Every structure is written in C-alpha cells, then in structure tokens.
Amino acid sequence: MSAPRLTVEGLQVGFGDGASRQRIIDGLDLRIEDGEAVALVGESGCGKSLTARAIAGLLPPHAWTEGRVVLGGLDLNTLPPARLRALRGEEIGFIFQDPISALNPLFTVGEQIAERLRWHGGLGRRAAWARAVALMEEVGIPDAAARARVYPHQLSGGMRQRIVIAIAIACDPSLLIADEPTTALDVTTQAQIMALIAASQRARRMALLLITHDLALVAQAVDRVLVMYAGQIVEALDVEALYGESGAGAKHPYTRALLCASPSGVPGAPLKGIPGAVVTPARYPVGCRFADRCRWADDDCRRAPIPLVDGVRCEAPDGGAPC
Amino acid sequence: MLSLKGLRVRYETPRGPFEAVRGVDLEIEAGAFFGLVGESGCGKSSLGRAALRLEPIAGGQIIAFGEDITHAPPRRLRAFRQRAAMIFQDPYASFNPRRTILDAVMEPLRLHRPGPAAAQRDAARALLARVGLSPELEARRPHALSGGQLQRAAIARALALEPALIVADEAVSALDVSVQAEIVQLLKALRAERGLTYLFIAHNLHLVAQICDRVGVMYAGALVEVAAPEEIFTRPRHPYTRALIDAAPSAHRRAQPVTPPRLVDLGPASSGCAFAPRCPQAHAACLRDAPALAARGGGLVACYTPL
C-alpha cells in the first residue's frame, strides 16, 4: 500500500504560555489517502477548524503547535519557511467559510485566480489569465471570460464561493481542505457547491478534508467521518456505518446523541438535545470529556484518559439504533 | 389568531421601491406551530416582522386576535404588542450589552405592568427558571452567556407579558444542533403550557417539517405552498418546494450522489410566476400571470401545473 497523502500524528494546538498555557487540540492523529474524502465533524469549539488551520499552516501567530504533519512524504515541521509557503500554495488548497473575507475586494476575481497561478504555478501574465478563465469555466461560472473582470461584490455568494474553489484548485493541490464551505449559503446553492467540491475532488483525485458542524453534509461528500469533541477525535467511522440503518453503526454516545439532535425531516419525530455544555479547554478532565453529558457515564469513565480503540474513544461503546 | 390578506411590504431603496412581500394570504390558527421556510431574500423575515407591524405595510390587511391592526394607531398597537412577541436569530444583537439578564427580562414588565419592583423581579426570576437558566446567570451580562443560554433568556423576555403569539425569526438557526434541539423542545413545552401560537421562520426544511404542524414555503415575496409537513415532505406540489427538498441534505439518510436542482439565475420580476424563470416545467401562461394559491390535496399551492 502506498503512503497516505496526509498523515497527522500527535497534533497539539494551543494558546498562551507559562501558567496561562492552554491546550485545545490534544494529540490528534489522522490519515487521508490520495483520492479519499474525510470529514471532521463537531460542534462549535471542538477544535475542528483549528485542526484544519494547523495542517495548512494557517494558525494565528500566537498559537503554538506540536506533533507531525506529513504531506506526501514531506514533514512540514522540518521544512524551511520559504519552502513551506510555496508548498502550501501548490499542494494544499483551502476553501474558507466566508468567501467575502477570503477574496480581496480591490482586485477582479480573474486577477485573484491568476495571481495564485503566477506566484505558485510559475505562469506568465497571459498564460495565467487564460488559465484563470478556464478554471472559472471548470467551477461552473457561466460567461467566464466576462465574469473574470468583475469584483467579488458583484457576484452572488454562491458564485464567490466558486471563485474561492477555483483559487484553491488552481495549482493542482494534492490536498483540499474545505472549512465549512457552505455554511453561509442557501440550501439550493449549498447543494450545488457541495456537488462541485465532490466532483473536482474525484476528477483530480485530491485528498479532501471537509470540516463541518453538519452531519447532513457529510452523507453526500465523504468516505470516512471523524467526530470531534472537546479537542479529541472520539469516533472514526465509515460513512456507511453512520447512515446504514439510521445510524446503527455509530458507537460513541456523543456521535449517537449528535445524530438524534440532527433534524430528520420526519414530521413529529422527537428531536433530542444534549443536556449541559461542552467542557472548556481550561477544565478538560482527566477521563472522558463527554462524561458529564453522557447518560451512561460512571466512575470508570472519569478515572483515566480513554484511548481510541477500534475507532471509538469510549469505555462502553453502544450499538443499535441511536434515537 | 393571525390572518394576513394580500399583505404587501415595500422598501424604498436608492434604486427605487423594492417589494419584499408581494400579496401574501395566510391564516394561522390558535395553537398552531406554523413554519415558514424559504431561502435568503424570499421575504420570510419581512413577513414575520410585518405581521407584528414592524415593517412598512404597502397594502393588504393584518387581522390579529379578531382585530384589524393594519393601520392601528400607536395606542392600540401598544396593546397588540403585549399579546405578540418576537424572538430574533442573534440574541447578542437583541440584548443591551450593558445590562444584566435579569434587568433585560424585567424591562417589558417595567414598561407595561407598572408595579412594585420586587414583584417584577420575582416574575422575571420565575421566567428565567422556566426557560432553564440557573439563578447565578441572572446577574451576568449578555456576552458572558453562551448562544444557547442567551436565546433562552430571549425566550424568557418574550414571555414576560404573557403573549399569545410568538414570531420566532431564525431563532435556532445559529445554534449547534445539540442546543438547537433543546431550544425546540423548550418552545414546544411552552406552547403546551401556555397555549402559545408560533410563527416559526427558518431556512432548515428538515427542522421545520419535524417540529411544525403546518408549513408555508415562500419564494420571491410570495407563498408558493402551504400544507401539513407530511404532505410537503412526501408529496410536494410546487416545483420550488420539490427543488428545496431535493437540495436539503439529511443526517439520517445516505443521500444519492448530490443532484443539485437545475435552477437558472433569478430573472427580473415580471407579472408572471416569480419562479418561472428557474422552473423546469414553466410554460407560456406562467410568464403572463402569477398563479394564485389554490386548494390541492390537503393544502394550498400556487402553480398552474402542480406536481
């Protein structure tokens, strides 16, 4: 078997130092093969976006990080900064949640795609422009030659996100990271953008890491799902296990609770919330971090760190229909 | 309870007037949990606000509690607004950041129910307890609460004057699903306890179908379909409803590979059906005159060739 496209080992991310040092991501491991699509799912504050940013080297300056990120055999931590910057533009495409802040309002969208190609793809001015227009066609923008000359504010939210995707895939990256790519969009536009991401991921055989809070989105777009809670992966499962027989394959109580809280569209079906609140990084307990909200938690859960065994971080994983 | 007849809302913009709500007829019965869905800009928020006379009414009628309030003078409007309350999407924007939670919940009582402060404080505390906020939170300011906690406080504040009608505008949309589900449970419990009627505005079709007992679908300022959720979901009659359902992903079913609806860009508003420029089955008549809502199955649909 060939080496995975992306390997993350023992990733830790945090803020502050000395007494105020806080660890948010806590020893996270993940692997994505070439052409494989993986979703990192979790609710606000679980650390999923921070993980994506750490992999792409886009952490804020005051964050600290430890652990290994290996992309295509290259350990990103050992690369000199200039080489890392170049690699990031060429090998990692990043799609942000909010296309309006990801694009520069002062340049036309064509210029912004061409700029990426000139900096990272080494193309000349004319070649870059022609390639930019071709990329806009590829991401489904009608009348691309004319639209290349407009500014971001002249496009709809969906069209802007297509431009962000064109920039992300411009240099044929081997890894595409999409951080909540459709959260700001309407449902019909969301379906179109997810279809576009899935299609270009398959056509280009990229590895895809999709970051989302929405279990509903992963059903369509990925092969594997990693569920995050309070800075840890609590469950890793095939998407089939999640959707076969309405979630019967999910074993971690948090994954199961998340499924039962997600609207099903079945009229009158109960919608079950999860009582309590996520524990903050300053108060991460020694044992299971979900214990205080878990119906089945007992003293064993709280005694020591719970390892991820067979894809589940739980002392007594459950099975069967979750709701 | 609430009846809208040919309601129109028009905004003056630098580029001329823009009609956000274009002649909506809607009946909401007492005790209903009425869901209104549609995409950004379809006019659902304008409709909800207009129902409480919070938007400029350009035409039509609003009849609430058996009374025509379309042109009600301020005094009558003040009385009406004690019986109808609103909950907004972003609670951080709807609370004064400098005042405590208890103070915010007491405010409607101070304004509308003059009396001893101690009694108002007790009433506000009872409301906070009812929505599930622990007493130690009452002295905090809004930013010190989580989004879910603050939305609970917003519900407490909306309940202060014991309204009969609550308009909830994307009230759970910004919350994590685990919190969203809890707030929805709270809203349902309150309806049963207090006989509330809800106009619940949201963009999540699955959520609305699951919790509401009647659903209206809006497109470009008009209601295109109204029916029970079972009807809407299993047998949508309007092509736009069909497109919305096809596009909405579910966390509970392994969907077919994504088949986004083939929708063309929205053309300029004409005299015809607003959806016609994007509709896969539009024909000449659709472009001439807009179809009115007409009974079909157990619901209403505005389409010449319903599915």
Side-chain angles (χ1 to χ4, degrees), chain B residues 81-83 108-109 112-113 127 156-163:
Chain B
R81 288 199 184 135
Q82 296 183 42
R83 304 171 71 185
L109 296 167
H112 294 279
R113 302 271 191 281
L127 285 166
R157 184 178 58 181
L159 293 174
L161 300 174
E162 297 178 19

Side-chain angles (χ1 to χ4, degrees), chain B residues 11 43 57 71 79 92 153 161-162 167 170 184 287:
Chain B
Y11 302 110
I57 309 298
H71 304 290
Y92 294 99
L161 300 174
E162 297 178 19
V167 176
E170 300 277 14
V184 162
L287 299 169

Side-chain angles (χ1 to χ4, degrees), chain A:
Chain A
M1 212 173 98
S2 63
R5 174 48 49 187
L6 174 73
T7 308
V8 175
E9 278 170 6
L11 179 71
Q12 302 195 12
V13 184
F15 295 96
D17 52 23
S20 66
R21 185 177 159 102
Q22 221 169 60
R23 185 185 298 141
I24 311 228
I25 310 291
D26 197 0
L28 183 141
D29 300 325
L30 70 85
R31 297 154 64 98
I32 309 180
E33 310 290 333
D34 272 315
E36 189 188 27
V38 172
L40 199 53
V41 180
E43 297 185 286
S44 316
C46 72
K48 58 192 187 297
S49 282
L50 215 51
T51 302
R53 290 181 169 267
I55 292 169
L58 294 172
L59 286 173
H62 54 289
W64 56 262
T65 176
E66 283 170 25
R68 269 173 24 112
V69 178
V70 182
L71 182 69
L74 286 174
D75 187 335
L76 301 193
N77 295 356
T78 63
L79 291 180
R83 180 84 186 84
L84 185 60
R85 256 196 313 279
L87 186 86
R88 201 182 294 152
E90 290 156 29
E91 289 296 318
I92 305 178
F94 207 99
I95 303 171
F96 300 87
Q97 171 174 157
D98 176 13
I100 211 64
S101 48
L103 295 171
N104 187 328
L106 301 177
F107 290 90
T108 67
V109 296
E111 284 167 341
Q112 295 185 55
I113 306 171
E115 186 201 19
R116 169 65 66 105
L117 291 158
R118 294 183 64 199
W119 273 100
H120 291 289
L123 295 187
R125 185 180 288 273
R126 273 165 187 279
W129 184 264
R131 184 83 189 101
V133 172
L135 278 163
M136 284 175 66
E137 281 166 4
E138 182 178 335
V139 298
I141 295 178
D143 200 10
R147 293 276 183 93
R149 297 179 192 283
V150 308
Y151 292 87
H153 76 270
Q154 294 171 286
L155 296 173
S156 68
M159 285 296 158
R160 271 183 224 134
Q161 196 59 301
R162 288 176 193 267
I163 299 292
V164 173
I165 294 171
I167 294 172
I169 64 175
C171 295
D172 282 316
S174 55
L175 171 66
L176 187 61
I177 300 179
D179 187 1
E180 302 275 11
T182 63
T183 306
L185 304 174
D186 270 323
V187 56
T188 52
T189 314
Q190 166 176 287
Q192 290 163 346
I193 294 296
M194 285 312 299
L196 172 64
I197 291 173
S200 50
Q201 183 252 332
R202 283 178 199 128
R204 292 163 171 263
R205 279 194 53 75
M206 289 180 287
L208 171 69
L209 181 61
L210 172 70
I211 311 294
T212 179
H213 68 282
D214 188 355
L215 270 179
L217 270 193
V218 313
Q220 306 172 321
V222 305
D223 310 304
R224 238 164 11 100
V225 180
L226 308 173
V227 181
M228 255 185 113
Y229 186 82
Q232 296 176 325
I233 289 175
V234 296
E235 184 156 17
L237 69 178
D238 284 346
V239 77
E240 310 298 342
L242 199 51
Y243 297 103
E245 293 170 50
S246 59
K251 294 191 173 66
H252 194 285
Y254 176 64
T255 312
R256 296 162 65 79
L258 205 55
L259 273 168
C260 302
S262 300
S264 63
V266 177
L271 203 56
K272 289 186 200 145
I274 308 178
V278 185
V279 56
T280 56
R283 295 183 181 174
Y284 282 164
V286 180
C288 173
R289 293 177 184 179
F290 187 60
D292 285 345
R293 304 173 79 186
C294 181
R295 285 164 56 195
W296 294 277
D298 57 23
D299 291 347
D300 286 345
C301 303
R302 296 188 169 89
R303 205 163 289 144
I306 313 285
L308 192 68
V309 177
D310 293 333
V312 192
R313 194 183 294 279
C314 184
E315 275 290 287
D318 207 348
C323 305

